[in-house]
Amino acid sequence: MRMHEIMGRAYESGIVVPAFNVPYLPMIEPVCRALVEADSFGLIAVARLEWIKFESRSQEAVATEYAKHKSDAHTGLHQDHVPVIDEDGLSVDYLADIRRALELGFDSVMIDGSRLPLDGNIEATRRVCEAAAEFGVPVEGELGAVMGHEADGIPDYETLFETGQGFTDPGEARRFVGETGVSWLSVAVGSVHGAISAATKNQPKVRARLNIDHLQAIREATGIPLVLHGGSGIQTDDLLASFRSGIAKINIATDIRQPYERARERSVGEAQEAVHRSVIEIVDRLGIAGSAKGMC
Ligand code: 13P
């Protein structure tokens, strides 16, 4: 129940909840520490690809490490992207991964059916909502295409933005929310995920923009908290405007993974300090220092 309430408050007051992805287990400690120090509320998030393609090992390993460092007033544990079809085009036993997260006590879960046609996405998301209801845990779905995780990368960014390629359709979003009962919706309005393929994962991210008018149309159509994926490297003015236009959660991976990977060549301890510094900077940029007060 707790995350339903926290996100409801964030949505109503225009304060964002950051979800920090942890592709490496030692990242959990500095993210939790920084959130406590800044007195901000945020989520530790792990996507399926982070235990398959990176080093977070398993949902069990993440839950165990999280339990050592969590703070009930400042942190929650989120299951990020469990795709129905993964970034390599393979089918995933998504209900098994979601059920494991629920049984391990994750506070919220995400099902990503965005590579399916609308009807299939609705069906998969509805099944996950049924499973999560038994645990009282909110479900995030995704509609539209937030690109970048695929091995062939993204099309030219300016063309993507100008043409609105893959953007979430407000009418479809209304139907999706009504027929699935999803709690939060990840939308495509200009952001892209940081690349994860070996050849590109160290490169700087494109400086993405957001179409705020389009976001507002989705907000009016849905009336539920919206989620911004691809949160690293977005222009700050657009970010702050999006929090006033329905975005209640932002996912951040590249902006903490790259400093970790660079410093890890020296030591894990230095890499953890690099993550801590990055989280403090991000919390400042998002304007959420002190946000834990009144959230929990
Ligand atoms: P970035 O890597 O762009 O921060 O995206 C993170 C994300 O959306 C994870 O779900």
Side-chain angles (χ1 to χ4, degrees):
M1 235 28 229
R2 185 174 80 115
M3 277 312 298
H4 278 297
E5 286 160 9
I6 291 174
M7 283 285 282
R9 280 188 210 118
Y11 179 66
E12 275 154 30
S13 51
I15 293 170
V16 79
V17 171
F20 292 100
N21 283 81
V22 292
Y24 303 93
L25 292 177
M27 294 173 76
I28 294 174
E29 186 277 327
V31 174
C32 290
R33 176 160 46 100
L35 288 168
V36 171
E37 273 174 31
D39 198 18
S40 300
F41 184 85
L43 297 167
I44 303 296
V46 67
R48 179 175 180 273
L49 66 83
E50 287 167 327
W51 68 79
I52 291 192
K53 298 192 171 173
F54 288 87
E55 297 175 22
S56 58
R57 289 198 210 145
S58 66
Q59 290 159 298
E60 288 84 353
V62 171
T64 303
E65 184 66 14
Y66 173 72
K68 293 184 204 158
H69 305 293
K70 68 177 186 157
S71 155
D72 287 339
H74 301 94
T75 65
L77 183 59
H78 174 68
Q79 173 64 65
D80 190 23
H81 291 280
V82 172
V84 180
I85 308 285
D86 76 8
E87 56 290 345
D88 300 316
L90 302 173
S91 294
V92 173
D93 185 356
Y94 61 92
L95 265 182
D97 284 348
I98 293 283
R99 286 218 172 92
R100 202 170 305 112
L102 293 167
E103 278 156 15
L104 285 165
F106 279 56
D107 297 297
S108 48
V109 295
M110 180 196 187
I111 174 69
D112 176 1
S114 65
R115 293 192 182 92
L116 296 175
L118 180 60
D119 285 341
N121 191 355
I122 288 175
E123 175 59 18
T125 306
R126 207 181 43 69
R127 291 173 74 185
V128 167
C129 288
E130 277 168 18
E134 291 168 33
F135 293 79
V137 161
V139 175
E140 175 182 337
E142 179 162 301
L143 186 65
V146 181
M147 291 177 235
H149 279 166
E150 295 77 6
D152 46 3
I154 57 165
D156 171 63
Y157 180 74
E158 282 310 310
T159 311
L160 183 152
F161 189 79
E162 292 308 331
T163 58
Q165 192 184 339
F167 279 21
T168 307
D169 178 80
E172 288 189 358
R174 179 184 287 113
R175 188 183 148 204
F176 185 84
V177 170
E179 293 185 19
T180 59
V182 79
S183 318
W184 317 329
L185 184 65
S186 161
V187 294
V189 291
S191 63
V192 290
H193 283 117
I196 53 152
S197 76
T200 53
K201 73 184 176 65
N202 298 331
Q203 287 173 11
K205 249 193 92 173
V206 57
R207 198 148 169 67
R209 292 181 278 144
L210 301 175
N211 185 329
I212 299 297
D213 290 342
H214 195 86
L215 176 62
Q216 265 161 358
I218 300 170
R219 176 197 205 165
E220 278 159 31
T222 59
I224 63 168
L226 303 176
V227 179
L228 188 62
H229 281 245
S232 300
I234 298 174
Q235 299 192 13
T236 305
D237 288 353
D238 283 4
L239 273 185
L240 299 179
S242 78
F243 307 154
R244 296 188 293 268
S245 305
I247 294 294
K249 169 172 170 284
I250 181 171
N251 284 27
I252 295 162
T254 307
D255 270 354
I256 60 170
R257 173 181 58 76
Q258 288 183 341
Y260 182 90
E261 288 172 339
R262 280 194 294 269
R264 191 172 68 150
E265 288 165 19
R266 295 189 293 280
S267 73
V268 170
E270 283 194 41
Q272 288 179 304
E273 291 321 303
V275 170
H276 176 264
R277 275 194 302 279
S278 301
V279 173
I280 294 283
E281 275 167 31
I282 292 164
V283 161
D284 194 45
R285 182 159 17 104
L286 301 179
I288 54 165
S291 71
K293 280 185 206 65
M295 281 270 220
C296 298

